Amino acid sequence: LTDRLDYISAIFNEWAYCRAVESLLEIEVPERAEYLRVIMAELNRITSHLIGVGTFGLDLGATTPFTWALRVREEFLNLFELVTGARQMNHYLRIGGGKQDLPEEFPALVEKVFVLLDEFLEDYQTLLLDNPIFLVRTKSIGVLDPQVALAYGATGPFLRASGVPLDLRVSEPYSVYDRFSFQVPTASNGDCYDRTKVRLEEMRESASIVRQALKQLPDGEIR
């Protein structure tokens, strides 16, 4: 049921619930399982942001960014289907670990999809972020002051675009996030443009985390 709390970020919802139960029952999660959780969560972050930036382009009257984003996202959903058996409602994490391990061909497939992601990010930059029409419709539009953002309980890229560098992976490290090197993208204007830019940069950082996690992935049990 947790997968449907935010149906484009299923893994994160599963993880929050599992961590709560594991903390209450003092269950130690195997090291390999922690890496699998990070890998799947960061891939999920990318797919979520693809929906965010794709639909934003659509809302501004540009259909191409939306179709481009979904094209790339489909390849990521293929990875989720390979590992979890489902494309969106993954039901992958378990209290104490995960449902099943990664298939042998997974790292190579991830790299192929990351190539498509890099191409999309470059194209999105050219098509929208550098587009005069997009700039007029997003720069200084929907400005969210950092103090107001904190008072309203804003989180994630919405908060970081207002200049608040808050990321629980860094400020309150959990799982094995303290073993990876990555940046926390922020901006200063807190407008629609900055929120889009932060999401694009976060996708690059998530890809970097996944690469590091796959390289460091230890042997062992997953549950």
Side-chain angles (χ1 to χ4, degrees), residues 121-180:
L121 293 174
E122 292 298 325
D123 289 340
Y124 196 98
Q125 176 76 38
T126 304
L127 183 68
L128 277 187
L129 291 193
D130 297 337
N131 187 314
I133 298 175
F134 182 82
L135 292 171
V136 169
R137 294 179 177 179
T138 60
K139 280 283 190 178
S140 300
I141 302 297
V143 176
L144 186 65
D145 180 90
Q147 286 73 33
V148 175
L150 288 170
Y152 280 13
T155 62
F158 213 92
L159 176 63
R160 292 189 280 272
S162 293
V164 182
L166 180 61
D167 188 322
L168 294 181
R169 296 172 297 177
V170 176
S171 61
E172 299 179 30
Y174 57 94
S175 187
V176 289
Y177 274 112
D178 58 349
R179 304 182 187 183
F180 309 121

Side-chain angles (χ1 to χ4, degrees), residues 19 29 31 43 59 70 77 82 88 97 116 126 128 130-131 138 143-144 147 156 199 207:
R19 287 189 65 225
V29 178
E31 185 181 34
L43 291 176
D59 290 339
L70 286 189
L77 296 187
L82 176 67
Q88 281 199 162
L116 296 177
T126 304
L128 277 187
D130 297 337
N131 187 314
T138 60
V143 176
L144 186 65
Q147 286 73 33
R199 285 185 173 92

